[in-house]
Structures are given as structure tokens and as C-alpha cells.
Amino acid sequence: MIKKFDKKDEEAGSGSNPFQHLEKSAVLQEARIFNETPINPRRCLHILTKIIYLLNQGEHFGTTEATEAFFAMTRLFQSNDQTLRRMCYLTIKEMANISEDVIIVTSSLTKDMTGKEDVYRGPAIRALCRITDTTMLQAIERYMKQAIVDKVPSVSSSALVSSLHMVKMSYDVVKRWVNEAQEAASSDNIMVQYHALGLLYHLRKNDRLAVSKMLNKFTKSGLKSPFAYCMLIRIASKLLEETEGGHDSPLFDFIESCLRNKHEMVVYEAASAIVHMPNCTARELAPAVSVLQLFCSSPKAALRYAAVRTLNKVAMKHPSAVTACNLDLENLITDSNRSIATLAITTLLKTGSESSVDRLMKQISSFVSEISDEFKVVVVQAISALCQKYPRKHSVMMNFLSNMLRDDGGFEYKRAIVDCIISIIEDNPESKETGLAHLCEFIEDCEHTVLATKILHLLGKEGPRTPSPSKYIRFIFNRVVLESEAVRAAAVSALAKFGAQNDDLLPSVLVLMQRCMMDSDDEVRDRATFYMNVLQQKQKALNAAYIFNGLSVSIPGLEKSLHQYTLEPSEKPFDMKTVPLATAPITEQKTEIAPVATSKLPEKLAPSRQDIYQEQLAAIPEFQALGPLFKSSEPVQLTEAETEYVVRCIKHTFVGHMVFQFDCTNTLNDQLLQRVLVQMEPSEAYEVVQHVAAQSLPYSQPGSCYTLVRLPEDDPTAVSCTFSCAMKYLVRDCDPNTGEPDDDGYDDEYVLEDLEVTVADHIQKVLKPNFSAAWEEVGDEFEKEETFALASVRTLDEAVGNIISFLGMQPCERSDKVPENKNSHILFLAGVFRGGHDVLVRARLALADGVTMQVTVRSVDENVVDVILASVG
Amino acid sequence: MGLLDKLAGWLGLKKKDVNVLCLGLDNSGKTSIINQLKPSNAQAQDIVPTIGFNIEKFKTSSLSFTVFDMSGQGRYRNLWEHYYKEGQAIIFVIDSSDKLRMVVAKEELDTLLNHPDIKHRRIPILFFANKMDLRDALSSVKVSQLLCLENIKDKPWHICASNAVQGEGLQEGVDWLQDQIKTMRT
Ligand SMILES: Nc1nc2c(ncn2[C@@H]2O[C@H](COP(=O)(O)OP(=O)(O)OP(=O)(O)O)[C@@H](O)[C@H]2O)c(=O)[nH]1
Ligand SMILES: [Mg+2]
């Protein structure tokens, strides 16, 4: 297989690209001939080409070698060969940032830019501006001004574009060239006029009034260049957006008037600008859509493409505005350009009625094999959107998707289809079995490990709960026989779930497991052995903890704790409760299908935000005895925006303590703050133990201080508390320019907003993929139930949202989604309470006058149950 | 080289190419001197301080000169050495009215003479004691004393007083250089 690829590569490479196997060192060696006299222009040209090729391939040149090559190249200015000289300009531009002392060519370039050879002048200006810095710019200012108004268009354009680049670096110098740019803006040459307008705009873009004056002037006087018109339209629509100007603004009138311009380019730009305006109503859209409609029947493919692509976008926000074009779009369905046809169909799918879906899907299947993967993904996305809009159509879609799944296609395409099928399954329970069947068929011949494992995971989760789970076993076991290690391991895990859920399947699953225990791969064998032993116990609680719901700890945290444990061996067994929990649980939310560019390789497990905090806090001696970090909250702002000091707080919860981390920024450039700490007054029996001050807080450099608080031990139900906070510090006034502080300072304080600690700060979210198994596992020893009336809540959705955010627990089984038109709903929540006890909540909601809620709480610790019920009440 | 060029060379029609480095402190008049030596239709009207270097060409009766006119400003002087290797002759220009910086000029000259790419080569050096028209200009003899030119033993050298604005004294120097190069070659 690998050999075959190699050969192909060679065949493709030979002859087509003479530079393919260039060696940097060999090329640099060759560059020595630049030093020879007389100069051989042809050979030198060839070597310069190689150097530029290498640079553009991303080859790294060290400073010394680059400088050496650059200086050798400067000698080529002796030659009067035109091609060679222009190649030198290119080389200068490419090497401007990697070689030292590039200013050595300043005089030579200045001479060329003011010389008699017009072919040298433009490129010399561009090269010169690349190597010039602000101090040097003054020296060539005179020449730049002359060049801007030069009568040779290429010279003038080069000078204008180079000036535009230099605005970023030397705004103040370039600003002095406005008069020259004005003059160039009235040039007869369309490019010069366009470039001049660009420069004028960039010089003024931060001054709204000046931009608006400029627009006013040019829209009145009119321009020759269609490019300049397009630019004016963009400037005008940006200004409209910034000033939130309405459709009665003269700027809008201008854009609308451009719909009647004689250049198609300008007409399209104006239509596109109108279509993209926020809060655009049908009345303003109509004329823009009608010019796009005209373009749909243009003989130019580019125009048809632009029009249908823009209409496709409009269709998302204003489907009704596009319906007028349906006839024209229908004609494009059979366009010989498949990109146009695809966009036309996907647009129609968005605007068309439910009845037209079948016809369109048929049309698109006739050529789906001819379009590129990229457009196929567009089709899949349209289908996905359609499924949400017309759930009743899911069987048509499912059929279509399964056909697509059988076609050839790359990973991104296949992934889009699989994701789309999975989301249909999740939204439409009645489509579950068909969907799973298609996916089973797909994994029978699937070369993408990532997709195969993903589907196996889904089969393990959903399969056992279908009416006839046995039919999936064959597909899963085939994987164990046929596939790579990763897929085999995933298949073993899926099998185990069938055995755990379905007693009648258990014997056969055990037999299959036995076979897996003979696998050649360690991981597969380990998994099989583990599941075998758990399954043989036939205990619901074990199944729930080890097969359905897995580990909920942070993997990097587990790794670290285990490492620590091996460093300090002890008699006590390793305690899983000391391992921090995973913070970002794998949400059951379906992932957006859109991001095609997301990394293709499975990502390396990056440390989470909490792992980072854990490490930072552990480095502070005062906090070393607190044990593992249990939870870190999102930052809470304790100051208004744009105050003298900006302070936000992150609440870190430990088993018996809380650490409040205050991130402070001093926004006064005439003050240096020292020994900064935040004093906290608790409303409850919380005890402030210690302050760790930020030693110094210079202007605009953020720093952190900490306050350590002990949680009340005798009253475990005291989980909420309000703290009044004040920042205390020593101020030293200082010189705003140098930052040099006065010798002595004075104490001061700054009152912050109150900080709340709530029950959510004591609970960490944990996802239980199989909630009912977990519910059984915890058992009803400490179950408590209570009923509440939520009078002020109007909808079930709102109630669900409120409970989740109040308790800070993880919704399971997608129960955070309330189906439409239902009067009752059950919400399942899971979490771990500070100290390491699982806590589960089942809330039955009923909508009548307001919402009635029956809450059932289970945990292995009675206190935890009480805390939850007390805080809800 | 094409056949015709070679033929021209044999017949003495084609002039030999020589690379010359033009060195000296800033404001000494290097660019002005080279400008004067160019054919009058190619001369520049206004002369500005050089940044980096410029390549200029001019011809004498039997040679075709390619001059690397270097910038004399302090921060560019250490870039001169990049071009030492190909120089077949050196023109070193001194502002003879700038007594204050004569020591600086001497220092730069000594560094040049001790550079490995120059030290062991019998490379002719032409000195122009420029700006002789100014009232307080030193004579060429005085300049050569201040620069200790008599210590240069292993290289042919020559000093002329010059005025680059009027073009005086330049021809004499260039004639000397041409003779030197011709004797070196044969
Ligand atoms: N009076 C007088 N002025 C001269 C003479 N030669 C040059 N100048 C003036 O001296 C100034 C500097 O001359 P440049 O030729 O630019 O000097 P340079 O050595 O090339 O200077 P850099 O390029 O900065 O190293 C100009 O204003 C010239 O007009 C001369 O012989 N007499
Ligand atoms: Mg000069």
C-alpha cells in the first residue's frame, strides 16, 4: 500500500515541478556565483527563483545565511538585465524580514524609482517601502509624494498601495500625503483611482466625520472606476452599520442607487451590501433580490454563482424574500456548473415548501456523485437544517443520507453524514432503529477509525434499549474480528453494555467476551477481562458504576494523583475520591455539523481550565494542605466595566475550605499599588483564615491575590453565604510616562460588589450516560422527595433552565430539552457533592398555573440530600 | 561572452571592466565625485546622502569602471566589508576642510588596510583630498601626513587635491588609477 503511494508521487512529480527536491544548503552554495564577475544574468535568475521558491515553501533561513545571500544578491544591481533586476526586487521583499541590514539597498532602489526606466519604477517603490522604517521614511518622503502623482499609472498605483501598507507603521508621515492622494483620486486610470480611494479611506477610517465627508464628496462627484465604486459601497455600509443608520439615510440611498450602475460588479456589490445589512426589511430587500434574480439567468457563470450563493445566505434569514426567485433557482438546478446547481438546490430546500422536498432530494441525488466533497457537505448541512424544520420528513432524509453514506467520499463528508444521522436519531425517537441500522451497515465497511468508534459508542448506548437488541450484536462482534485495535476495543465496550442491560443476552455476550480475552492487543484483552469479571457478578450497582457510566475524574488529574501515590507509597489503598473531577463533561448536546476545518486527528488530552488552577494553587505554600481542588467557578465581576480598578473573582472549592482568587487590574497609569488584598465579611459562620496579598500591581499588569475561608464544619447544610468585599492596598503615585513611583505612599481601600457563594459552588457536574442505572446504583436509602410550586415561572423550558443553573448539576439523557407542546416533563440531574458523594436529582415538572415540581433526591450521604432540598425550598 | 565581444576584446575595442570601491566618511563628496565622472547626460542634478550604496558606471579611454559608491555614515560603515572582495581598486575620499574628523578618517582607513580581504592584496588606492576650494582646506600634502600615508608600503597609492563641484583634479586621479590597473594586468 505504502509503496504504491510512493510510486504515484514520483510519477506525478517528475517533470511537473523542477524545484521539487531543492536543498536549501545547495541553493545557498550556488548563490555564491552572484559574487563572480562578469555577471551571468540567466544563471543568477534561476538561483533567485530557487531562493524565492524555498522561502515560499516555508523553509527557514537563519539570519546569518539569509544576510549572506542577501548581500551577495545586492551585487546583481551591477547588471542592467531587466528581468534580473525585477527578480532582485522580489527577493528584497521576500527577505526584508529575515536578513539583517536590508537598508543597504535604499539608495539603489531610490535611484531606480526616480530613474528613466518605467518598468523599474513601480516595483522599486514596492521593494523600497518593504525595507523602510519610520525614521528612514522621512528620507524618501519627497520621492513618495512625487510618485503618488506620477503620470505613469503603474508608478502611481505602486506608491499608493505601498503607502497604504505603511499607514500601519508610520501613520503620521503618510498622513502628510493626503493632498497627493486626493489628486490621484481624480485620475483617469481606474486602478489609480481605486488605490487612491483606498489610501484616503485608511487614513481617515478612525474619524467617522471625515469618512462621512469623504463619502459625501465622492458620491456627489461620481467616480470612473467600478472598483472604487465597490469600495465606496463597502465603506458606506460599514458606516451605516456603525452609526446604526436607518434606511432613510442618504448612505442607503447611495447604495441603492448603485443597483442601477452600468457595471455588473458594482450592481452585485450593492445588492450584496443590502442583503447583509442587519435589520433589513422585505421592502429594502426586494430591489436587491430582484437584481440577483436577473443575474441568475446571466450567461456568465461567475455572476450566476455569485447570485445564487448570496441568495443562499439570504434564504437563512429571510426565506420569504427569496421565494420570488424560486423559478429562476429551479432553472439553475440543472446548471452544468455543479457548484451553482448545488447552491440552487440547497437554497430551494430552505425556501421551498414541505411538499417540494421529495422532488428536490431526487434531483440532487441524480448528480451528487459529480460534485466535490466540499459541496456535498453543504448538501448535508441543508438536509440537517431541513430535518429540524420538517421533522416528519426524516424518513426521506434518512434514506437519502444512507445512500450518500454508501458513496465514495472523504472523512469530512462522511463525518457530516454520520453526525447528521445521529442528530436525527436524537431528535426523533421513532427514527432510532432505522438510523442505527444504516450506521451498522456503514461500519461494516468504514475506513475511518474515528467514525467507527463513535458509532460503536452510540450503538452501545442506544442499542441495548431498543426492542430487539440482539440484532446489533453481529455487527459489533464483526468489528472485533475484522478491525484495528482501537475499533476492536470500542466494540468490546459496546458489547459489555448489551450484556449489562439485557439478561437474556448475557450468556452469549459472556461467550463473546471470552473470545475477546484472547485478542492480540493488550487494551482489547484488558477491557474484555475487566468486563467479563464485572458482568459475571450480575450486580446492577457494579454494572452502573463500571459499564454504563464509567469514570468521572479528570484524566490528567488521575495521572498526577497516581504518580504522586507511587512516589509516596503508603499502606492505604489509593482513594479515587482524592482525584479531581473532570470539569467539561462530554455533553450530550449534539455537536454542530458545520466546522469542517476542525482537527482531523483525535486531540491530545489538553489539561482543562481546572487542572491549570489546581497547579497554580498548589504552588502557593499557604494552600498546600487543602487537598485536591474540587471545583472552580466561572469568573464573577466585582467591579463595573471601566472603573479605576477591575476586579473579578474565581471561587475555588476544596473539601473543607474555599479559596477566593481575585484577579485585579489597575487601570490608572499614575498609580502603583502594593500589598493588595481583599478583605471579606461573611454573613454566615464562614471563617476567614488567611490573606495572600499581591505584592505589587503596576499599571495595566494584572495580578492576583487570594483569601482563604474555612467552611463551617458543624453545620454541613450552611452552603450559601454572602460576603461583602473591600480591596485594601498601599498607593504610590507615579510618573505616568516613566512609571517611576514616589518614595512614599498611603493606605487606601476600594469597595467591591458583594460576592455570593451558592449551592452550585459545592456541586460538580458529572454526566451519567445511563441515568437509570446510576439511579439504581445509588439506591433509595437516603431518598427524599418534596413538592414545590414555582408560581412565577411560565414555561417548562424556563423552569428547567432555572433548576439547572441554580443547582449547577449536569442534565442527563438529554432531559434539558423539553419536547414541544407537552404539559409535563422529567428532568434528570447528576453531580458530585463536595467530599465526593454522588448526588442525583429527578424533577417531575407539570405545567398548570405556573409550574409544579416534584423533586426526588438520592445520594449515599444523607446530609447532601438535605442540603439540596433545603436550598431548593 | 559572445564571439563578437571576444573579437572586440582582442582588437582592443572592447574596454576592460574594473570594479572600484568608493569609500570615505559621510559628506566627504564621494557621490559628487562619481557623478562628475559620469557622462554629462547621465549626471544627477541634486545629490543626497547615500543610504547603503549605489552602483554607478563610467568609462575612461581604455577602461570601463563599475563603482560601488558606499555610504559614509557611521552606522553603514561596517557594511563596506561585504564588498571588499570584488574591489579591484579603491577610491578613498577625504573632506580636506574637516580637520576635526581627520582622525576618524584615519581610523577608518587603518581598519580598511588591516582587513583580511584587503591586507595582502596589491590593490591600488587613490586618495582624493576633496573640497580644496574651501578656504580652510588642508593641502594634499598635509592630508597625507595626517593620515600617515607614507606607511603604506605594499600597495600603490596616490593622492590628489580635488573639487568635485567644479570637477577639478579628478581627471589626474583617474588617469593614475587607469595606469595602475593596466600595469597590474600585464
Ligand atoms: N565646496 C565643495 N563642496 C563639495 C565638494 N564635494 C562635495 N561637496 C558637497 O558636500 C556635500 C556632500 O557630498 P556627497 O557627495 O553627498 O558626499 P558623500 O561622501 O557621498 O556622503 P555620504 O553619501 O553620506 O557618505 C554635498 O552638499 C556636496 O555638494 C567640493 O569639492 N567642494
Ligand atoms: Mg554618497
Side-chain angles (χ1 to χ4, degrees):
Chain A
M1 189 71 184
I2 292 173
K3 264 196 190 133
K4 213 166 100 197
F5 269 125
D6 273 347
K7 208 165 153 213
K8 240 191 193 163
D9 271 355
E10 250 172 48
E11 274 166 20
S14 65
S16 61
N17 180 1
F19 296 123
Q20 193 157 45
H21 299 296
L22 283 187
E23 270 278 344
K24 180 180 73 173
S25 55
V27 174
L28 289 176
Q29 187 80 27
E30 279 185 286
R32 301 223 169 131
I33 71 151
F34 296 166
N35 295 329
E36 284 170 15
T37 29
I39 286 166
N40 178 338
R42 274 197 44 215
R43 279 186 64 198
C44 294
L45 252 178
H46 193 59
I47 295 166
L48 286 179
T49 314
K50 288 180 183 175
I51 294 180
I52 295 179
Y53 178 84
L54 284 177
L55 286 168
N56 279 292
Q57 291 295 303
E59 183 85 51
H60 173 77
F61 281 61
T63 312
T64 324
E65 58 189 6
T67 309
E68 194 179 322
F70 187 87
F71 274 87
M73 180 276 300
T74 61
R75 287 171 179 82
L76 303 182
F77 272 87
Q78 290 173 66
S79 165
N80 285 328
D81 185 284
Q82 285 195 355
T83 327
L84 181 61
R85 181 70 59 88
R86 299 187 66 178
M87 203 60 174
C88 286
Y89 300 142
L90 289 182
T91 316
I92 293 171
K93 288 199 285 187
E94 291 300 323
M95 300 189 82
N97 292 331
I98 54 175
S99 163
E100 284 179 336
D101 296 317
V102 287
I103 40 98
I104 185 89
V105 286
T106 303
S107 270
S108 306
L109 291 172
T110 318
K111 187 172 144 200
D112 286 353
M113 99 181 238
T114 53
K116 292 194 182 75
E117 287 280 10
D118 283 345
V119 283
Y120 287 165
R121 297 176 59 204
I125 293 173
R126 292 173 193 262
L128 183 58
C129 290
R130 277 292 276 120
I131 60 162
T132 299
D133 58 25
T134 304
T135 47
M136 302 297 293
L137 190 56
Q138 322 252 2
I140 59 163
E141 181 168 9
R142 181 157 63 100
Y143 304 113
M144 286 301 291
K145 282 183 166 179
Q146 280 164 11
I148 289 174
V149 293
D150 200 280
K151 62 181 190 309
V152 180
S154 68
V155 173
S156 176
S157 268
S158 299
L160 286 162
V161 173
S162 302
S163 311
L164 188 55
H165 287 304
M166 287 195 299
V167 167
K168 280 173 239 144
M169 176 183 85
S170 319
Y171 177 81
D172 290 326
V173 181
V174 180
K175 199 173 62 185
R176 298 197 290 251
W177 310 345
V178 159
N179 288 338
E180 283 75 12
Q182 283 296 4
E183 195 177 326
S186 53
S187 163
D188 280 341
N189 182 287
I190 52 172
M191 267 302 160
V192 172
Q193 184 171 62
Y194 169 58
H195 290 146
L197 180 65
L199 179 59
L200 287 172
Y201 171 62
H202 279 275
L203 284 171
R204 294 164 175 168
K205 67 177 172 195
N206 294 325
D207 178 354
R208 237 178 244 166
L209 197 67
V211 171
S212 143
K213 264 192 201 153
M214 182 180 92
L215 277 174
N216 201 3
K217 178 180 158 208
F218 285 121
T219 52
K220 283 223 177 75
S221 65
L223 293 161
K224 219 181 152 108
S225 160
F227 302 109
Y229 257 108
C230 289
M231 174 139 205
L232 275 187
I233 293 172
R234 289 187 186 188
I235 301 173
S237 55
K238 184 157 186 279
L239 191 65
L240 259 180
E241 196 184 321
E242 283 172 358
T243 54
E244 289 167 9
H247 309 298
D248 44 1
S249 144
L251 289 176
F252 185 83
D253 294 343
F254 161 70
I255 297 176
E256 195 168 36
S257 75
C258 289
L259 290 173
R260 294 180 291 279
N261 194 289
K262 64 175 190 289
H263 296 281
E264 285 159 338
M265 183 199 304
V266 179
V267 175
Y268 171 74
E269 190 66 43
S272 162
I274 293 175
V275 158
H276 285 101
M277 276 175 198
N279 54 48
C280 193
T281 68
R283 227 193 65 198
E284 289 91 40
L285 272 179
V289 169
S290 67
V291 303
L292 293 174
Q293 186 175 8
L294 277 182
F295 285 167
C296 282
S297 45
S298 159
K300 295 181 194 160
L303 270 185
R304 294 199 305 277
Y305 178 77
V308 68
R309 189 162 168 256
T310 312
L311 287 172
N312 192 315
K313 283 200 192 122
V314 185
M316 302 197 199
K317 273 202 294 188
H318 308 280
S320 57
V322 183
T323 15
C325 308
N326 277 4
L327 219 58
D328 307 81
L329 290 168
E330 293 276 356
N331 289 332
L332 293 181
I333 290 180
T334 48
D335 200 299
S336 59
N337 182 313
R338 292 314 190 195
S339 309
I340 294 175
T342 310
L343 285 167
I345 292 180
T346 49
T347 312
L348 284 169
L349 284 175
K350 287 174 196 152
T351 62
S353 59
E354 189 164 359
S355 58
S356 61
V357 168
D358 298 274
R359 190 174 50 86
L360 290 168
M361 297 301 283
K362 200 166 197 170
Q363 183 72 43
I364 210 166
S365 6
S366 67
F367 67 82
V368 76
S369 57
E370 295 168 42
I371 58 179
S372 71
D373 272 15
E374 200 181 323
F375 278 104
K376 285 181 184 166
V377 173
V378 173
V379 173
V380 176
Q381 282 166 354
I383 294 175
S384 179
L386 206 56
C387 290
Q388 278 168 6
K389 200 162 135 203
Y390 303 123
R392 272 189 295 156
K393 283 286 162 205
H394 65 78
S395 62
V396 185
M397 304 297 169
M398 193 64 102
N399 227 341
F400 183 76
L401 288 169
S402 69
N403 283 329
M404 284 178 112
L405 208 47
R406 279 182 212 120
D407 288 346
D408 287 339
F411 172 71
E412 295 300 344
Y413 171 48
K414 289 288 154 90
R415 191 181 66 168
I417 303 173
V418 168
D419 287 348
C420 185
I421 293 184
I422 293 179
S423 75
I424 295 178
I425 294 178
E426 285 175 348
D427 290 336
N428 309 281
E430 65 272 38
S431 71
K432 188 185 282 179
E433 284 193 72
T434 351
L436 290 180
H438 290 314
L439 293 175
C440 280
E441 187 193 321
F442 173 60
I443 53 170
E444 285 283 41
D445 183 21
C446 167
E447 56 186 322
H448 308 291
T449 307
V450 182
L451 295 181
T453 50
K454 182 169 186 170
I455 291 170
L456 283 167
H457 179 75
L458 180 78
L459 283 176
K461 198 168 134 243
E462 302 292 346
R465 292 190 265 181
T466 55
S468 49
S470 61
K471 66 179 173 200
Y472 301 105
I473 303 275
R474 177 170 61 89
F475 293 102
I476 298 175
F477 191 67
N478 278 348
R479 305 281 75 67
V480 182
V481 184
L482 300 168
E483 307 279 353
S484 66
E485 295 83 355
V487 180
R488 296 208 301 272
V492 167
S493 300
L495 267 186
K497 294 192 179 125
F498 282 82
Q501 181 90 28
N502 309 94
D503 291 340
D504 45 334
L505 286 179
L506 183 60
S508 9
V509 167
L510 286 176
V511 173
L512 295 176
M513 271 305 165
Q514 203 118 40
R515 278 199 55 186
C516 298
M517 283 164 69
M518 258 108 68
D519 196 282
S520 60
D521 181 70
D522 287 350
E523 172 73 18
V524 179
R525 263 198 326 269
D526 288 354
R527 284 195 192 193
T529 314
F530 174 74
Y531 289 131
M532 182 82 185
N533 283 298
V534 175
L535 287 172
Q536 277 169 340
Q537 306 298 318
K538 298 192 178 146
Q539 288 184 25
K540 281 246 168 329
L542 283 183
N543 286 348
Y546 296 115
I547 296 182
F548 293 126
N549 292 331
L551 283 179
S552 51
V553 295
S554 129
I555 300 297
L558 177 61
E559 190 183 345
K560 212 171 286 163
S561 305
L562 284 172
H563 180 66
Q564 198 59 40
Y565 184 75
T566 55
L567 288 182
E568 295 163 12
S570 86
E571 291 296 307
K572 278 194 296 183
F574 179 75
D575 181 5
M576 278 298 264
K577 290 214 165 80
T578 63
V579 182
L581 296 169
T583 36
I586 323 94
T587 45
E588 273 193 310
Q589 312 281 324
K590 64 172 164 282
T591 42
E592 290 290 319
I593 302 180
V596 175
T598 44
S599 57
K600 297 188 175 116
L601 298 168
E603 284 161 50
K604 195 180 163 287
L605 204 53
S608 68
R609 181 171 157 268
Q610 186 166 332
D611 291 328
I612 296 167
Y613 283 134
Q614 160 99 23
E615 201 148 287
Q616 287 172 355
L617 292 173
I620 299 170
E622 286 85 345
F623 305 146
Q624 268 164 3
L626 301 181
L629 174 58
F630 177 72
K631 178 173 188 174
S632 298
S633 74
E634 291 298 315
V636 185
Q637 298 296 337
L638 295 185
T639 50
E640 306 270 316
E642 292 170 33
T643 43
E644 301 92 305
Y645 312 117
V646 179
V647 179
R648 52 171 218 175
C649 176
I650 298 153
K651 298 174 272 185
H652 301 290
T653 310
F654 291 81
V655 182
H657 295 82
M658 288 190 81
V659 170
F660 298 93
Q661 170 180 341
F662 298 94
D663 294 340
C664 316
T665 310
N666 164 14
T667 67
L668 300 177
N669 63 0
D670 56 357
Q671 282 192 358
L672 168 70
L673 307 190
Q674 286 181 322
R675 298 201 296 273
V676 184
L677 55 84
V678 174
Q679 208 146 57
M680 303 177 76
E681 286 293 338
S683 64
E684 308 289 323
Y686 282 46
E687 179 194 351
V688 177
V689 182
Q690 202 164 21
H691 297 285
V692 176
Q695 282 317 320
S696 116
L697 212 57
Y699 164 60
S700 91
Q701 286 176 29
S704 298
C705 61
Y706 303 85
T707 306
L708 174 64
V709 169
R710 189 178 0 255
L711 298 169
E713 269 163 48
D714 40 340
D715 180 9
T717 58
V719 287
S720 43
C721 180
T722 305
F723 291 91
S724 45
C725 305
M727 183 162 91
K728 302 213 160 181
Y729 44 85
L730 178 82
V731 185
R732 289 174 68 185
D733 291 326
C734 55
D735 182 329
N737 296 319
T738 62
E740 197 59 46
D742 287 352
D743 284 339
D744 42 28
Y746 51 91
D747 285 320
D748 201 353
E749 73 170 70
Y750 188 80
V751 176
L752 304 173
E753 280 173 32
D754 287 356
L755 181 68
E756 303 278 352
V757 171
T758 65
V759 64
D761 289 312
H762 302 269
I763 301 179
Q764 181 68 276
K765 291 179 180 186
V766 166
L767 178 70
K768 299 285 184 191
N770 187 328
F771 187 83
S772 62
W775 187 254
E776 293 307 320
E777 179 199 349
V778 171
D780 57 2
E781 191 182 349
F782 298 116
E783 179 178 297
K784 285 193 184 168
E785 196 166 85
E786 227 168 293
T787 305
F788 304 91
L790 310 175
S792 61
V793 181
R794 291 278 134 231
T795 66
L796 290 176
D797 252 332
E798 195 187 343
V800 165
N802 284 352
I803 302 165
I804 294 173
S805 70
F806 178 74
L807 289 177
M809 295 172 71
Q810 174 69 35
C812 298
E813 309 283 352
R814 295 170 56 76
S815 63
D816 52 329
K817 291 247 165 70
V818 182
E820 271 173 56
N821 307 324
K822 284 271 179 68
N823 286 330
S824 63
H825 181 67
I826 306 183
L827 173 66
F828 302 112
L829 296 172
V832 170
F833 196 80
R834 174 170 54 80
H837 299 298
D838 269 337
V839 51
L840 302 173
V841 170
R842 188 183 65 199
R844 296 177 199 268
L845 303 159
L847 184 67
D849 252 358
V851 174
T852 326
M853 170 171 82
Q854 184 192 49
V855 180
T856 315
V857 188
R858 284 186 178 190
S859 171
V860 286
D861 182 87
E862 187 168 11
N863 277 330
V864 176
V865 176
D866 292 337
V867 165
I868 302 273
L869 281 179
S871 56
V872 176
Chain B
M1 246 194 242
L3 182 64
L4 269 182
D5 290 334
K6 272 189 191 152
L7 207 62
W10 289 326
L11 297 175
L13 297 175
K14 166 82 180 170
K15 295 177 178 176
K16 280 180 185 148
D17 283 311
V18 201
N19 277 349
V20 181
L21 302 179
C22 187
L23 309 173
L25 301 190
D26 48 306
N27 198 43
S28 54
K30 297 179 291 296
T31 308
S32 309
I33 288 175
I34 305 301
N35 194 44
Q36 276 293 341
L37 292 170
K38 291 200 290 188
S40 52
N41 60 355
Q43 285 179 9
Q45 291 313 312
D46 55 338
I47 285 171
V48 295
T50 311
I51 302 169
F53 75 105
N54 243 324
I55 296 179
E56 303 286 358
K57 302 194 177 194
F58 67 89
K59 293 190 164 89
T60 59
S61 55
S62 61
L63 292 175
S64 174
F65 284 93
T66 300
V67 187
F68 286 70
D69 170 21
M70 305 301 298
S71 165
Q73 288 173 48
R75 59 178 167 147
Y76 303 128
R77 278 178 221 152
N78 58 343
L79 301 178
W80 292 354
E81 61 178 12
H82 285 281
Y83 301 89
Y84 286 169
K85 275 219 180 75
E86 63 235 63
Q88 292 155 294
I90 293 173
I91 297 175
F92 198 96
V93 184
I94 302 110
D95 177 351
S96 40
S97 67
D98 187 359
K99 299 186 193 85
L100 213 57
R101 291 205 299 165
M102 208 54 83
V103 280
V104 184
K106 179 176 186 312
E107 215 165 88
E108 291 296 345
L109 176 63
D110 290 344
T111 320
L112 165 72
L113 292 173
N114 283 316
H115 191 280
D117 289 348
I118 298 288
K119 193 166 180 161
H120 302 295
R121 288 166 62 198
R122 247 188 83 78
I123 173 173
I125 308 180
L126 168 62
F127 293 92
F128 280 120
N130 195 32
K131 305 201 186 177
M132 67 177 189
D133 52 306
L134 294 180
R135 209 160 33 83
D136 49 353
L138 301 168
S139 71
S140 60
V141 178
K142 187 78 192 151
V143 170
S144 95
Q145 277 170 4
L146 286 173
L147 297 182
C148 308
L149 298 187
E150 68 280 3
N151 290 348
I152 308 176
K153 296 283 187 319
D154 56 347
K155 295 181 181 36
W157 61 270
H158 180 75
I159 185 162
C160 314
S162 65
N163 170 355
V165 181
Q166 303 301 325
E168 289 163 35
L170 302 182
Q171 203 49 49
E172 180 204 327
V174 173
D175 286 346
W176 176 84
L177 201 58
Q178 176 170 279
D179 287 343
Q180 285 301 315
I181 291 166
K182 280 204 288 205
T183 53
M184 253 170 56
R185 293 219 168 166
T186 45

